[in-house]
Amino acid sequence: MLQCPKCDASMEEQTLSTLQGNVTIDRCTNCKGMWFDIGEAEALKEKWMSDHIDTGDPDLGRKHNKIRDVNCPRCGKQMAKLLDPVQTHIEYEACEEHGMYLDAGEFTDYKYETLIDIFRDFIFVLKNK
Ligand SMILES: [Zn+2]
Ligand SMILES: [Zn+2]
């Protein structure tokens, strides 16, 4: 089981049903931040349904959004701080080998199409390094 990189609570697996099949993400039991493994993000390339998944408190998410020096829950290396080029108030952290982390509430700021585009770009950048 993974530990949340921001608050050290344990993360639990959540399965999303998508048109492409099930996708598993890890969600913090405390702050509700979400971790996407790269493989999981790849499975989200197509349309997906997750209206129920981002149930975290946006205020807590905003507070946690200020915590930016966090380490990858898989390998412990410091993650890169990324900024969405269009919606610059949305920041997230990513380990280029393992995946990306979003604070609670950041998710709901996105239209799903935008979110999927971000995943696509993220994976594209990794594959072309
Ligand atoms: Zn947490
Ligand atoms: Zn890593």
Side-chain angles (χ1 to χ4, degrees):
M1 192 183 284
L2 293 181
Q3 267 195 324
C4 177
K6 297 221 175 176
C7 73
D8 286 335
S10 60
M11 303 187 88
E12 60 183 5
E13 294 194 339
Q14 298 270 324
T15 301
L16 310 180
S17 299
T18 79
L19 296 176
Q20 308 303 307
N22 288 340
V23 175
T24 304
I25 66 161
D26 294 278
R27 187 166 64 162
C28 177
T29 52
N30 178 46
C31 72
K32 314 292 186 205
M34 286 171 288
W35 170 260
F36 294 84
D37 278 317
I38 285 175
E40 291 164 0
E42 281 197 312
L44 291 175
K45 276 178 183 169
E46 300 302 323
K47 204 167 151 42
W48 57 313
M49 298 175 285
S50 67
D51 297 271
H52 57 289
I53 200 74
D54 190 7
T55 57
D57 175 359
D59 287 334
L60 184 62
R62 266 191 285 278
K63 214 180 293 169
H64 272 204
N65 201 25
K66 303 273 190 303
I67 308 173
R68 309 248 33 217
D69 289 318
V70 292
N71 298 325
C72 173
R74 293 240 181 254
C75 68
K77 273 193 245 166
Q78 188 168 326
M79 291 197 277
K81 304 169 183 71
L82 302 172
L83 203 65
D84 184 80
V86 181
Q87 304 186 61
T88 51
H89 63 293
I90 300 170
E91 299 169 325
Y92 56 97
E93 290 81 37
C95 169
E96 56 186 40
E97 285 165 51
H98 298 104
M100 58 196 281
Y101 181 92
L102 285 143
D103 290 308
E106 288 183 335
F107 227 23
T108 47
D109 282 356
Y110 288 107
K111 290 202 166 78
Y112 292 136
E113 300 77 44
T114 314
L115 186 66
I116 291 161
D117 282 346
I118 289 167
F119 281 131
R120 273 205 202 105
D121 291 348
F122 178 59
I123 290 161
F124 180 82
V125 168
L126 293 181
K127 290 209 163 143
N128 289 283
K129 272 178 85 87

